[in-house]
Amino acid sequence: MVKRFGLVIGLLVVIISLLILFDKLKIDNKSEATKEGQPLITNEELSLARLKDKLLEKYVGIDVKTTAEKELVIQVVGEEDYFQSVKKDMESIAKNVIKTSTLKDYPIVFERWEFTSLLDDNKVLGADINLLMEDLITGLEAFDVYKYLVIENRTTITIQTTIKSATHEDLQLAMRMEQAIKKILQTNASPNQSYVINILNTQREKLN
């Protein structure tokens, strides 16, 4: 009798263990399926990426983000007069891009960045990039037409100059600036990192 009772208890323990294991496998599979079903990028991130790409077709030195207050923020690098002159056009582009997206009801807010604000504690790019920017600035200050530079996404270097036109002499000067930048990059940047270099005149036309 005792032997039979022990056998029943043992059988119950095995059945309970199997049920627990089965439930755990179901939960793990459901969790994995949920994880696999999650999109790699949210609709908001996709809308922001599309907007930034659209703005970069016409402008440089810009970034976009959203806030906890559900605002769409367009950040623009440049002086106050330039900042004021492009806001209306950028807002029009933004409204057209987001009109059917999850951002369509977000109010659009503009922020102007000075070049130095890129080095503020709130916008730290990394010590390596900061050092590279310092070396680039030092090298570019030899050119009287140099105004400021922006490094976007660690891959694109944009130089704003005071050059007003695009004559042969202006283009030659832009090429010399580009060569100076490449020389600094060869010395200071990672050999595995490639950069796109944009040199702009006052109308933000690419000279190189």
Side-chain angles (χ1 to χ4, degrees):
M1 183 70 178
V2 173
K3 187 176 180 181
R4 183 181 296 175
F5 181 75
L7 185 61
V8 170
I9 294 296
L11 187 59
L12 285 172
V13 169
V14 171
I15 292 172
I16 292 170
S17 297
L18 288 172
L19 287 172
I20 292 172
L21 180 61
F22 181 71
D23 285 342
K24 186 176 186 303
L25 287 172
K26 278 177 64 179
I27 292 171
D28 288 344
N29 288 338
K30 185 182 289 185
S31 175
E32 190 64 30
T34 302
K35 190 182 296 182
E36 289 177 358
Q38 290 177 345
L40 296 176
I41 183 171
T42 66
N43 287 333
E44 180 176 300
E45 290 170 335
L46 181 60
S47 297
L48 285 173
R50 285 174 174 165
L51 173 57
K52 184 170 182 178
D53 286 345
K54 192 66 178 178
L55 289 170
L56 285 174
E57 289 178 7
K58 188 172 183 180
Y59 299 101
V60 297
I62 62 100
D63 202 0
V64 295
K65 66 176 184 178
T66 55
T67 67
E69 292 75 29
K70 295 189 178 299
E71 295 175 330
L72 171 59
V73 181
I74 300 177
Q75 299 166 317
V76 184
V77 177
E79 295 181 348
E80 182 64 29
D81 55 348
Y82 170 75
F83 177 68
Q84 295 299 333
S85 70
V86 299
K87 281 171 60 176
K88 187 174 181 181
D89 185 46
M90 285 188 178
E91 184 174 9
S92 176
I93 293 172
K95 286 181 176 178
N96 189 53
V97 172
I98 68 172
K99 63 184 179 183
T100 58
S101 77
T102 55
L103 305 177
K104 63 181 184 296
D105 295 323
Y106 283 36
I108 299 173
V109 178
F110 284 88
E111 288 182 359
R112 183 175 73 88
W113 284 359
E114 294 281 0
F115 161 70
T116 53
S117 71
L118 292 175
L119 305 181
D120 289 346
D121 292 338
N122 293 329
K123 299 183 177 71
V124 175
L125 296 180
D128 56 333
I129 292 295
N130 287 344
L131 290 173
L132 177 59
M133 291 176 81
E134 290 175 8
D135 291 334
L136 287 169
I137 291 168
T138 300
L140 289 168
E141 283 177 344
F143 296 88
D144 293 338
V145 295
Y146 166 71
K147 196 171 184 181
Y148 63 79
L149 71 83
V150 178
I151 298 180
E152 297 177 73
N153 301 322
R154 293 177 172 264
T155 59
T156 303
I157 300 173
T158 300
I159 311 298
Q160 180 63 60
T161 73
T162 58
I163 298 172
K164 295 180 180 180
S165 56
T167 64
H168 177 72
E169 290 75 15
D170 294 331
L171 298 178
Q172 290 295 314
L173 177 56
M175 291 301 295
R176 290 200 299 273
M177 293 181 75
E178 182 177 2
Q179 291 305 313
I181 294 168
K182 288 181 177 178
K183 188 173 181 180
I184 294 168
L185 291 173
Q186 287 174 357
T187 305
N188 299 278
S190 167
N192 298 322
Q193 178 68 64
S194 60
Y195 290 89
V196 175
I197 301 171
N198 299 315
I199 300 178
L200 312 178
N201 63 13
T202 54
Q203 284 76 45
R204 297 237 163 180
E205 297 169 338
K206 194 169 182 289
L207 296 173
N208 63 321

